Amino acid sequence: SQWGEENLQALSIQEGEDVTMNCSYKTYTTVVQWYRQKSGKGPAQLILIRSNEREKRSGRLRATLDTSSQSSSLSITGTLATDTAVYFCATVENYNQGKLIFGQGTKLSIKP
Amino acid sequence: NAGVIQTPRHKVTGKGQEATLWCEPISGHSAVFWYRQTIVQGLEFLTYFRNQAPIDDSGMPKERFSAQMPNQSHSTLKIQSTQPQDSAVYLCASSLDWGGYAEQFFGPGTRLTVL
């Protein structure tokens, strides 16, 4: 597998708290994409971070990428109940091809 | 823009029957991907098309699964002689470009249940 076993996780926090989700990957990648999947829906991309970027922000989201440790994180500040979803990180084997290799995901539950 | 459309949303088949899943990508998108999602295996890549041409089917179980894209407006995933282990949510995605930096837009999926 491209991903470490520690990626399978479930988190439950109170609305308004901040949260960070982590992923580690085994082989080289040029990009990490973070997706969110709500119940009954397909995944939707949240943020994409390239190998030459250490950090990327989008609204309440912040993604980091550490190529030396082959790990990425996604942080959400001021969580809302609507952030309840499963969050996936995904890498690509070849930047010329869009085949995504997904991690196991983090199930995030936000309690109102 | 209706997004990626997948039909049917739910399909129940008996063991040994055939199942055909349909995907209509977003108009103008050049790449179409198929993934399978189960609790145990998570999200797995199956196959993908670039400008209707099959590019990579490395994730497809070879014997009973096939995918086609006869025109730019739809792709099909066919499973022959379905088995209980084929039960999963099958997701179709399309992207404007086929590279690793392109955002993939996913449909809602087809939940296949094989009895």
Side-chain angles (χ1 to χ4, degrees):
Chain A
S1 168
Q2 160 77 320
W3 294 96
E5 295 300 321
E6 65 271 21
N7 294 319
L8 180 62
Q9 198 173 7
L11 298 173
S12 182
I13 61 174
Q14 290 293 138
E15 190 171 28
E17 293 182 346
D18 300 342
V19 66
T20 296
M21 293 164 277
N22 298 298
C23 281
S24 60
Y25 54 93
K26 295 181 179 178
T27 59
Y28 174 79
T29 187
T30 58
V31 62
V32 172
Q33 300 189 30
W34 283 89
Y35 283 80
R36 176 176 66 188
Q37 185 176 27
K38 296 195 173 185
S39 181
K41 307 284 188 182
Q45 192 196 70
L46 295 175
I47 202 164
L48 180 152
I49 183 166
R50 302 179 184 226
S51 58
N52 62 351
E53 299 174 310
R54 295 186 63 84
E55 178 181 297
K56 191 84 168 282
R57 292 179 183 265
S58 176
R60 295 184 294 112
L61 306 176
R62 173 179 173 261
T64 67
L65 179 58
D66 185 341
T67 53
S68 63
S69 65
Q70 297 188 181
S71 64
S72 179
S73 71
L74 177 71
S75 298
I76 307 175
T77 56
T79 55
L80 305 170
T82 52
D83 292 328
T84 293
V86 179
Y87 291 79
F88 295 96
C89 45
T91 61
V92 295
E93 293 182 332
N94 181 334
Y95 75 93
N96 278 325
Q97 297 189 13
K99 170 184 172 182
L100 292 175
I101 309 298
F102 284 90
Q104 286 298 312
T106 297
K107 184 175 182 179
L108 179 64
S109 299
I110 308 298
K111 294 175 284 187
Chain B
N1 187 346
V4 175
I5 298 171
Q6 290 191 250
T7 55
R9 291 295 310 277
H10 303 273
K11 187 171 182 66
V12 179
T13 65
K15 182 179 175 181
Q17 292 184 331
E18 182 177 288
T20 299
L21 313 180
W22 291 70
C23 170
E24 181 179 331
I26 294 172
S27 178
H29 281 194
S30 62
V32 171
F33 303 82
W34 284 95
Y35 297 86
R36 177 169 64 179
Q37 185 171 29
T38 61
I39 297 294
V40 174
Q41 298 295 328
L43 270 161
E44 301 176 288
F45 167 83
L46 293 175
T47 186
Y48 103 92
F49 297 85
R50 180 194 302 171
N51 292 326
Q52 300 173 232
I55 299 300
D56 183 345
D57 67 353
S58 58
M60 294 274 275
K62 294 304 179 190
E63 292 186 350
R64 297 180 295 104
F65 284 59
S66 62
Q68 294 185 331
M69 190 162 184
N71 56 59
Q72 63 185 8
S73 63
H74 87 273
S75 174
T76 58
L77 180 67
K78 183 180 293 185
I79 308 172
Q80 295 178 313
S81 185
T82 54
Q83 303 297 309
Q85 61 265 30
D86 299 331
S87 295
V89 176
Y90 290 83
L91 292 158
C92 176
S94 69
S95 62
L96 197 59
D97 193 3
W98 54 79
Y101 301 115
E103 177 180 359
Q104 293 186 23
F105 294 83
F106 284 79
T110 294
R111 180 174 296 277
L112 175 67
T113 302
V114 182
L115 300 176

